[in-house]
Amino acid sequence: MPVWRSQNLVLSLDGTAPQAAFLARHEILLEGETALLGIVEDCAYFALDLSHVEAPLDALKAQMPVEFTDLRRVGPLLSRQEGSLLAYARGIAYWHSRHRFCGVCGSQASSEDGGHVRRCTNPACKSQHFPRTDPAVIMLVHDGDRCLLGRQRVWPPGMHSTLAGFVEPGESLEEAVAREVQEETAVLVDQVTYHSSQPWPFPASIMLGFHARARTTELRVDHSELQDARWVDRDYLLSHQDDDSFRMPRRDSIARRLIEDWLRR
Ligand SMILES: [Zn+2]
């Protein structure tokens, strides 16, 4: 499964749902960093990073038309298994590209154990470095009949979503939820309960989803983080059709799942 500069290879078949492109060894004319992704029905799948070349399609002798694309563009349309494999390939290729040197002594690090560890080549150091995933919390805050949604400037017109942020060293997930909500909107929360998660390898996160109850409702939005945040009525969400004044997050997102499960309560 070739990866090029964080883009994945897919079949470019007009008018059909996108599919992951799997190439056999003989269809690849170039070496690159590889990592074993796993074995499915006696077939071993590897990620292959071709980021070091300018024209990666020239290095492939694919039997079908293929192209590199951003997984975020095609992810929702792929089967779950193909989506996970592409995400895995993208994530591990990214990790290798950012850990070429030892973080302890600065010597070169080389890939071992099927591409799942990098070891420092300095005999006096030999530090091992493992792929990492950064936890982020994403939370639907509500006060019973209204929920708190925010909006970032770069999002599509009208799109509002749940608040989110990275977990900091030394804090629990529940503390991260409370801190992020307070920092971004000045709202205080309690009753923080875990809901579900979604891997987010863009580049290396997992989103841990929560519901939380607001203890206070006065908003003071941190405009360095959010363009806007507001309380939205349950009835409005149930009746409103997406338009440029207000739209919900994407259907395949954990944010959407957090909102819809709350609406169903
Ligand atoms: Zn080292």
Side-chain angles (χ1 to χ4, degrees):
M1 308 189 76
V3 180
W4 182 69
R5 300 181 188 178
S6 287
Q7 296 191 25
N8 289 96
L9 195 70
V10 295
L11 299 179
S12 46
L13 301 172
D14 289 341
T16 63
Q19 283 177 271
F22 302 95
L23 300 191
R25 182 70 191 87
H26 66 85
E27 295 174 285
I28 296 161
L29 313 173
L30 202 70
E31 297 296 317
E33 193 81 68
T34 53
L36 176 65
L37 300 176
I39 296 171
V40 182
E41 290 170 4
D42 288 340
C43 182
Y45 291 84
F46 292 85
L48 167 69
D49 190 356
L50 296 175
S51 300
H52 54 292
V53 298
E54 287 300 323
L57 291 177
D58 294 349
L60 307 174
K61 231 175 45 188
Q63 306 296 320
M64 310 263 267
V66 289
E67 62 183 313
F68 284 97
T69 190
D70 191 311
L71 184 56
R72 278 167 289 195
R73 207 165 67 76
V74 296
L77 306 167
L78 294 165
S79 75
R80 194 181 175 88
Q81 185 180 343
E82 288 196 352
S84 322
L85 270 173
L86 289 179
Y88 194 6
R90 183 192 204 275
I92 202 145
Y94 177 87
W95 174 72
H96 277 287
S97 74
R98 294 300 173 106
H99 292 82
R100 293 187 296 124
F101 297 94
C102 175
V104 179
C105 75
S107 303
Q108 271 204 333
S110 66
S111 175
E112 289 184 359
D113 286 354
H116 290 262
V117 56
R118 292 186 73 88
R119 188 190 296 274
C120 177
T121 55
N122 172 2
C125 177
K126 287 188 187 163
S127 291
Q128 288 180 303
H129 304 278
F130 295 92
R132 51 171 299 157
T133 296
D134 299 324
V137 287
I138 180 163
M139 46 280 179
L140 187 282
V141 176
H142 67 93
D143 70 352
D145 288 325
R146 302 179 302 166
C147 70
L148 179 57
L149 300 179
R151 159 166 180 83
Q152 292 181 15
R153 219 166 288 279
V154 296
W155 288 350
M159 191 179 119
H160 285 71
S161 187
T162 52
L163 305 181
F166 283 104
V167 180
E168 297 198 341
E171 74 184 348
S172 69
L173 300 177
E174 292 82 356
E175 286 167 340
V177 168
R179 176 186 51 75
E180 282 289 342
V181 175
Q182 187 177 2
E183 281 177 3
E184 294 185 1
T185 64
V187 169
L188 304 177
V189 300
D190 58 12
Q191 298 177 32
V192 178
T193 53
Y194 176 70
H195 181 277
S196 59
S197 66
Q198 180 172 50
W200 195 248
F202 307 105
S205 292
I206 180 158
M207 309 270 258
L208 303 156
F210 291 83
H211 283 166
R213 176 93 190 189
R215 276 203 291 129
T216 66
T217 55
E218 191 189 338
L219 294 176
R220 273 200 317 280
V221 177
D222 177 355
H223 290 285
S224 66
E225 300 245 9
L226 294 174
Q227 183 183 29
D228 181 33
R230 55 164 128 157
W231 290 103
V232 185
D233 282 334
R234 183 191 292 269
D235 291 343
Y236 177 81
L237 288 173
L238 287 169
S239 61
H240 179 79
Q241 299 292 322
D242 283 351
D243 61 27
D244 283 357
S245 71
F246 185 91
R247 69 181 70 238
M248 293 259 265
R250 285 161 49 146
R251 267 179 203 290
D252 60 321
S253 64
I254 184 170
R256 182 69 171 255
R257 209 155 66 218
L258 290 169
I259 296 170
E260 290 192 336
D261 278 1
W262 173 72
L263 285 175
R264 272 200 286 272
R265 281 186 188 179

